[in-house]
Amino acid sequence: PSSSAAVSSAGSERLASVRPVGDDYAWSAPFAPESVTETILMLRPERGAAASTRALYVRLRISLQGTRRVLVLHRAHDASGILRLPYRLVNSSALLIAFRQTGSDHWERLSADEACVYCWELPAGKRLLELQVQDPAGEWQARSAAETAYQLDRAGKCAGLRLEPEARESARASTTSTT
């Protein structure tokens, strides 16, 4: 609440984007401000920002107050300072993988037997992941095309990669595998 953010909207689709004022972050991916919802936005560092600048995750809450939409942004960390994203991506294979949400320009990497917290980069985009696998010789193989990207809410086709709902408090949600 002590900092401010700029809001931008353009086009007939009625989408909006946000970014912190005065920080070295690019605009968020567009989202629909018409929906009364809560989501997490990822803001990537601007080009030319310090190499140590990491992505910023903010929790966006859209509510109605009379006839007005109210957008409230908070960092996506809990009271302990731990980053809380909705999913945990787990690579239980012996290979390095690269992944991105269909429609994104940015690939993320996940080493063998590694896990990371994850949220959809494009809130208004398709909930599909494209994958690349690096073979032991260091060559990228088995790239999935956008039309055959993995839907992480179905089980079965990519046993070495899972998307799990992040644990809330002491309750642990069940694991969901990829297709």
Side-chain angles (χ1 to χ4, degrees):
S2 61
S3 60
S4 59
V7 178
S8 171
S9 66
S12 59
E13 291 184 60
R14 299 185 50 91
L15 297 175
S17 294
V18 298
R19 77 172 184 180
V21 173
D23 282 339
D24 292 329
Y25 291 97
W27 289 94
S28 71
F31 59 90
E34 266 69 50
S35 303
V36 175
T37 189
E38 184 171 312
T39 191
I40 298 195
L41 302 173
M42 178 183 15
L43 289 82
R44 293 192 177 275
E46 283 274 27
R47 289 190 178 171
S52 61
T53 305
R54 295 183 177 202
L56 173 67
Y57 295 91
V58 293
R59 185 173 307 281
L60 168 66
R61 183 174 298 136
I62 303 172
S63 62
L64 277 175
Q65 289 185 356
T67 58
R68 295 177 20 198
R69 302 255 183 240
V70 177
L71 282 65
V72 177
L73 297 168
H74 294 281
R75 288 190 183 261
H77 293 76
D78 65 12
S80 307
I82 297 171
L83 179 61
R84 296 291 180 191
L85 298 181
Y87 302 103
R88 179 176 168 81
L89 193 58
V90 180
N91 178 6
S92 57
S93 76
L95 302 170
L96 174 67
I97 63 161
F99 63 94
R100 68 179 178 186
Q101 183 178 357
T102 297
S104 173
D105 295 331
H106 303 280
W107 288 93
E108 303 292 335
R109 291 184 180 180
L110 196 57
S111 296
D113 295 318
E114 187 177 54
C116 67
V117 290
Y118 181 74
C119 74
W120 297 107
E121 184 175 352
L122 307 170
K126 292 181 180 179
R127 304 270 167 130
L128 301 171
L129 280 185
E130 295 177 51
L131 300 174
Q132 288 184 325
V133 178
Q134 191 177 62
D135 66 23
E139 298 294 322
W140 288 102
Q141 306 290 332
R143 178 176 177 184
S144 66
E147 60 275 2
T148 59
Y150 295 99
Q151 287 183 290
L152 293 175
D153 58 351
R154 296 191 182 163
K157 298 216 178 159
C158 188
L161 183 68
R162 322 188 284 283
L163 185 72
E164 303 172 341
E166 263 296 273
R168 298 277 174 153
E169 304 295 322
S170 61
R172 183 77 181 164
S174 63
T175 300
T176 304
S177 297
T178 62
T179 61

